[in-house]
Amino acid sequence: MPSSATHLIRLARWGVTLARRRALVGIENDPNAPAALRQLVRLARLATLTGKSGPRDYAGAFRAIGPAAIKLGQSLATRPDLVGEEAANNLLSLQDSLPPVPFAQIRAVIESSFGQPLENLFSEIDPEPVGAASIAQVHRGVTTDGRKVAIKVLRPGIREKFARDIQTYEWAAAHVEAMGGEASRLRPRLTIANFKRWTNSELDLRREAASASELAEQMAGVPGYRIPTIDWDRTNGRVMTIEWIDGIKISRVDELRARGHDLAAISEKLVISFLTQAISAGFFHADMHQGNLFVEDDGTIVAIDFGIMGRIDRRARQWLAEILYGLTTGNYQRVAEIHFEAQYVPSYHSVGEFATALRAVGEPMRGKPVKELSVGQMLDGLFAITRDFDMQTQPHLLLLQKTMVMVEGIATQLNPDINMWDTAAPYVREWIRDELGPEAALADRLKQDAETLLRLPGLIRRVEEMFPPKGGAPEPPPLPEIPLITDRREGRGWLGYLLAGSVGAGAAWGALAMGWIG
């Protein structure tokens, strides 16, 4: 574990980079930020002789710090409550791209990880990558049996670099959270813990391949959406081989339109596929940006890059579905009740007051296409509510929030007139009916009772293990409790016993000398 001095040196170096690009001015001006933190960032700015006025380049600062910071910056782009709306909007432009690693190093990684020459695995491989990101880069290739594939390879030494930087993020987050107040409510330590878990998944390509395989199973029955096939024989922790996709990137709207695709239908299909993953399966692709989605000739959407995946348990999905449906129908009272049931809002607040606050944010959005909504105003309203009602950040929902923002952005680009609420409402309503209706409640109760009955034999066996039957030996008689010399319950330590022993020995010697005992 690095020392505090090591963390401070790293933070000072990063702080200088951030300060020079005025990326800390937002914290310095935020009245909700801890006073000590504001003073620190002010010192960093003054040390670099940088004024407050001028452009603030948040994305450039994170890019200059390094690969782990790029990933962290992309995560913080979904946290305007933590970094401010201006910083979050700027960080949305942060592209996860770096200069490629020379192919000789990529070849060495492939050959060392498989323990055999590259030619035994691939008949062709393009030395020029089709993409080079902070964690890995991707090359186009052909397997020895003639299949076109994409080969994703980790950058050499990237695991060690991420581990080092994340340790400093954890150290810094702990100290910021210890400042209390708003910093404690926003739970930066849990934010970094989630970030660590996400990046650890990305740094093990076997887990990414497993995620792709699991998502393919979950979405097998959804028409118009699919996942490429994994080549498990050519996949390990540092290399992943996956089916090559010949399609058009979903961001190329003009090209999609020229090919005759129905953009409104694709937009709706994207929203429904996301809701299917998040609400029905509870397992969703959490990096659905434009570069990771393709459209094939028949209109099928194909997703790639499964390093970041999200999970939501069944109860949380039920709450989420009810919240979404309540917002679409204007049932703010039920939405407020769910927040209290889920313990997102402390019980000492009023449900009715929280419902009224939700109405103030929700009503201006209902019935309008996304292009007419001010996302900034909506976020300002939501974050004001969380602060006013002492709502702690829910880190398990951060990936969902991030993905919803991405999906909304792509859907709007495809169809500016799409109404996200109207698109989502029929699906959510049907899911609620299936999952929360009387038939579902009865089925759940039968399942739970059956599982309880099946656990009874094991429970009885464990009770018998704790209280075994008596053997052939007779019961031992009760033994008196003898205080031990090491027993300090009465406040006597070794010094007391030594003193008492010395006094006793002296008294016995004196009695012998006087002839009182013989």
Side-chain angles (χ1 to χ4, degrees):
M1 180 66 67
S3 66
S4 295
T6 300
H7 293 309
L8 287 170
I9 291 171
R10 289 177 189 164
L11 288 170
R13 187 170 66 249
W14 299 341
V16 167
T17 302
L18 291 164
R20 283 175 175 165
R21 290 167 172 80
R22 298 184 180 85
L24 298 175
V25 173
I27 299 175
E28 187 177 347
N29 292 338
D30 186 356
N32 294 307
L37 182 60
R38 295 204 306 270
Q39 291 172 0
L40 283 173
V41 299
R42 181 173 182 272
L43 286 174
R45 180 178 59 80
L46 294 176
T48 59
L49 304 178
T50 304
K52 276 189 175 184
S53 60
R56 303 174 189 177
D57 185 10
Y58 301 93
F62 278 86
R63 191 181 301 111
I65 291 172
I70 291 174
K71 284 293 181 184
L72 179 62
Q74 290 178 322
S75 298
L76 294 177
T78 64
R79 296 297 309 278
D81 59 330
L82 194 60
V83 299
E85 185 182 339
E86 178 189 1
N89 290 335
N90 186 270
L91 289 171
L92 286 173
S93 67
L94 183 57
Q95 297 298 313
D96 188 7
S97 60
L98 289 175
V101 174
F103 183 69
Q105 296 183 32
I106 296 298
R107 169 186 281 270
V109 171
I110 296 174
E111 292 183 338
S112 63
S113 62
F114 284 105
Q116 55 183 306
L118 183 69
E119 290 71 21
N120 290 358
L121 302 166
F122 306 101
S123 60
E124 298 178 26
I125 183 167
D126 189 346
E128 292 296 322
V130 294
S134 57
I135 286 179
Q137 61 189 53
V138 179
H139 292 258
R140 185 171 183 170
V142 179
T143 62
T144 51
D145 53 0
R147 290 177 292 106
K148 291 192 296 182
V149 293
I151 308 158
K152 186 173 185 177
V153 186
L154 290 185
R155 288 177 174 267
I158 195 65
R159 287 178 174 174
E160 297 74 17
K161 180 171 180 55
F162 263 73
R164 184 192 68 198
D165 288 357
I166 287 174
Q167 285 179 331
T168 299
Y169 298 161
E170 291 173 324
W171 187 91
H175 285 77
V176 170
E177 189 164 315
M179 294 176 181
E182 185 75 356
S184 177
R185 186 183 70 82
L186 295 174
R187 304 165 86 180
R189 294 186 68 187
L190 277 175
T191 299
I192 298 300
N194 275 340
F195 173 73
K196 181 179 181 179
R197 188 175 72 251
W198 304 336
T199 53
N200 283 344
S201 296
E202 286 194 87
L203 291 166
D204 184 347
L205 296 184
R206 288 169 300 191
R207 291 176 64 178
E208 179 175 345
S211 295
S213 176
E214 182 177 350
L215 187 61
E217 290 181 3
Q218 298 283 8
M219 300 295 288
V222 179
Y225 186 95
R226 77 178 187 91
I227 307 300
T229 304
I230 298 294
D231 185 341
W232 287 103
D233 292 333
R234 294 170 176 81
T235 295
N236 58 36
R238 295 182 180 273
V239 180
M240 183 181 74
T241 304
I242 193 169
E243 170 193 358
W244 180 265
I245 299 300
D246 286 314
I248 303 172
K249 279 190 177 182
I250 204 167
S251 58
R252 297 176 181 171
V253 176
D254 292 338
E255 191 172 346
L256 289 173
R257 189 180 290 111
R259 293 284 187 94
H261 288 292
D262 185 342
L263 300 188
I266 293 174
S267 177
E268 183 173 345
K269 191 186 307 178
L270 177 66
V271 174
I272 297 301
S273 65
F274 165 68
L275 292 172
T276 303
Q277 295 174 43
I279 295 179
S280 292
F283 182 66
F284 61 94
H285 189 305
D287 200 14
M288 293 176 67
H289 63 71
Q290 295 175 341
N292 287 340
L293 295 169
F294 293 81
V295 179
E296 295 182 312
D297 290 339
D298 63 354
T300 298
I301 298 174
V302 185
I304 64 170
D305 195 352
F306 308 94
I308 305 177
M309 305 296 292
R311 286 191 188 275
I312 314 175
D313 65 35
R314 188 169 182 272
R315 190 69 188 104
R317 280 184 277 142
Q318 291 174 342
W319 282 325
L320 173 64
E322 285 200 84
I323 289 172
L324 288 175
Y325 189 62
L327 290 173
T328 61
T329 59
N331 189 351
Y332 301 108
Q333 181 69 23
R334 180 57 188 149
V335 174
E337 291 170 355
I338 293 167
H339 278 77
F340 280 79
E341 289 174 15
Q343 299 180 11
Y344 295 155
V345 179
S347 59
Y348 54 78
H349 283 289
S350 165
V351 177
E353 289 180 4
F354 187 65
T356 301
L358 286 171
R359 180 182 294 273
V361 177
E363 280 299 297
M365 299 187 298
R366 293 183 60 214
K368 292 184 179 179
V370 175
K371 66 179 180 181
E372 295 182 15
L373 298 178
S374 170
V375 177
Q377 290 178 0
M378 180 188 69
L379 290 176
D380 282 346
L382 288 174
F383 295 140
I385 289 177
T386 62
R387 186 175 297 117
D388 293 344
F389 288 86
D390 302 317
M391 287 176 59
Q392 284 194 320
T393 299
Q394 302 300 321
H396 67 289
L397 297 178
L398 292 180
L399 273 181
L400 180 70
Q401 175 193 354
K402 167 191 172 185
T403 310
M404 289 178 71
V405 172
M406 289 181 177
V407 170
E408 180 184 71
I410 298 172
T412 306
Q413 185 179 21
L414 292 169
N415 178 19
D417 293 321
I418 189 173
N419 185 299
M420 295 290 290
W421 303 112
D422 291 345
T423 304
Y427 176 88
V428 175
R429 181 171 57 246
E430 182 178 348
W431 189 86
I432 289 175
R433 185 177 63 245
D434 292 343
E435 293 293 322
L436 302 180
E439 299 90 347
L442 179 60
D444 280 348
R445 182 59 183 268
L446 291 173
K447 178 183 177 183
Q448 292 173 6
D449 290 349
E451 290 175 346
T452 300
L453 288 173
L454 291 173
R455 287 198 298 269
L456 281 177
L459 176 62
I460 294 172
R461 283 193 293 270
R462 290 195 295 274
V463 170
E464 288 182 336
E465 290 172 0
M466 294 180 64
F467 303 99
K470 295 178 181 180
E475 286 282 345
L479 301 175
E481 184 177 351
I482 306 296
L484 302 177
I485 192 171
T486 56
D487 188 359
R488 300 190 181 189
R489 286 179 296 179
E490 298 181 4
R492 291 195 297 265
W494 283 99
L495 185 59
Y497 286 111
L498 182 60
L499 181 60
S502 300
V503 171
W509 179 82
L512 283 171
M514 298 294 293
W516 294 347
I517 56 175

